[in-house]
Amino acid sequence: EDQVTQSPEALRLQEGESSSLNCSYTVSGLRGLFWYRQDPGKGPEFLFTLYSAGEEKEKERLKATLTKKESFLHITAPKPEDSATYLCAVQAASNTGKLIFGQGTTLQVKP
Amino acid sequence: DADVTQTPRNRITKTGKRIMLECSQTKGHDRMYWYRQDPGLGLRLIYYSFDVKDINKGEISDGYSVSRQAQAKFSLSLESAIPNQTALYFCATSLTGIVGDTQYFGPGTRLTVL
């Protein structure tokens, strides 16, 4: 069964304190792995798509990496405005178009 | 203007009522989706449509129906609302691609069934 597990569930950081969020997945043929940011009561905002192991993408303080079993979202020198829930999702080759989401990691960055 | 819009943004209704949630997009995407989000359960797929003539059930379609009126419009109906359908509902769109197609989400509809 295709599955996505994110850890930790919640993470508290001081401003400037770098860390990583983990997304472990099992899928029958990976078509894509997606990272989203979600603010309370709002729709998920697209961040990155990764397609193959070894791929990396960056955007401001965020960097996403991918291996055959997991993905990391690295946050460098975070700011309070980075506080949000970060969602990971996978798209399997056998279920083209459908995303399977993890439960998310809620990040709080304190000034 | 937002690329993916949802109406209404908030809705309070009573058990047994029929309601419709609407989604429109200006992204020119061919695929559209409906998800619901519940605390602790994450985002779950209700229905999806790859084009106007293609409608597919997701993992939690019982109690829901959909209509794809045009490429840009996808509506979700609750025929007889019940309290456990209280949730955040999101519409998403994507463009068919050779590799994984990225989905873009609307702002959501907060539905409360009393």
Side-chain angles (χ1 to χ4, degrees), chain B residues 34-52:
Chain B
W34 276 104
Y35 291 88
R36 66 176 278 177
Q37 187 174 40
D38 301 272
L41 294 177
L43 279 155
R44 293 180 293 166
L45 184 64
I46 305 172
Y47 270 95
Y48 62 104
S49 169
F50 285 172
D51 64 41
V52 175

Side-chain angles (χ1 to χ4, degrees), chain A residues 37-52:
Chain A
R37 169 193 170 126
Q38 186 176 25
D39 293 302
K42 297 189 176 181
E45 175 189 347
F46 169 70
L47 293 174
F48 303 109
T49 304
L50 302 168
Y51 297 110
S52 57

